[in-house]
Amino acid sequence: MSTPPQDPQQEEAPLLLPDVIVRCRRCSYEGPAEPYAPGKTWLEGVFWIAFLVPGLVYSLWRLFGRKYLCPACKAADGEVSVPVGRRLAVVLRALMLVLFLVAVVLLALIWNYPRPGP
């Protein structure tokens, strides 16, 4: 079996979050929202690989700058209903990022701590 050829001009369907409901003020759409995070994922990876602290700052900026768009008109000014569990997940992810950085710094300090001589 062969797959039918895809039209290169056809856009992929946006990722929709069924538990996040948006009520758009522009086009009157009401339904699942489309997530949007500022910045670029590849740049976040470069910051984490090259520089630990800027990677953390960039990740936190992307995490807390997340918005939910109307999938019909791509407006971000609609009324959004986000479940408490999803909000809690964002805060816990930020806390885990900070704890990871603290653990790496502590391990680096312990590793480089001068040991007493014989």
Side-chain angles (χ1 to χ4, degrees):
M1 294 199 147
S2 64
T3 58
Q6 293 184 355
D7 184 11
Q9 295 178 347
Q10 182 182 8
E11 292 184 22
E12 292 183 21
L15 170 71
L16 299 179
L17 302 172
D19 59 337
V20 179
I21 305 299
V22 65
R23 289 168 197 85
C24 186
R25 294 183 182 128
R26 278 193 200 165
C27 68
S28 301
Y29 170 85
E30 183 171 346
E34 180 180 342
Y36 168 77
K40 304 287 182 200
T41 306
W42 67 267
L43 187 57
E44 184 176 5
V46 168
F47 279 146
W48 272 107
I49 291 170
F51 316 103
L52 202 57
V53 174
L56 174 74
V57 172
Y58 192 76
S59 293
L60 290 174
W61 172 71
R62 288 193 68 207
L63 190 62
F64 287 114
R66 182 167 297 186
K67 297 179 182 176
Y68 299 101
L69 305 177
C70 168
C73 68
K74 305 295 186 217
D77 60 351
E79 183 180 326
V80 180
S81 171
V82 182
V84 174
R86 187 171 291 275
R87 289 183 193 165
L88 183 62
V90 168
V91 171
L92 288 176
R93 183 174 173 199
L95 180 63
M96 293 202 40
L97 282 171
V98 171
L99 288 176
F100 172 75
L101 180 67
V102 168
V104 167
V105 168
L106 286 176
L107 285 173
L109 289 174
I110 291 171
W111 184 267
N112 292 323
Y113 190 75
R115 292 169 186 85

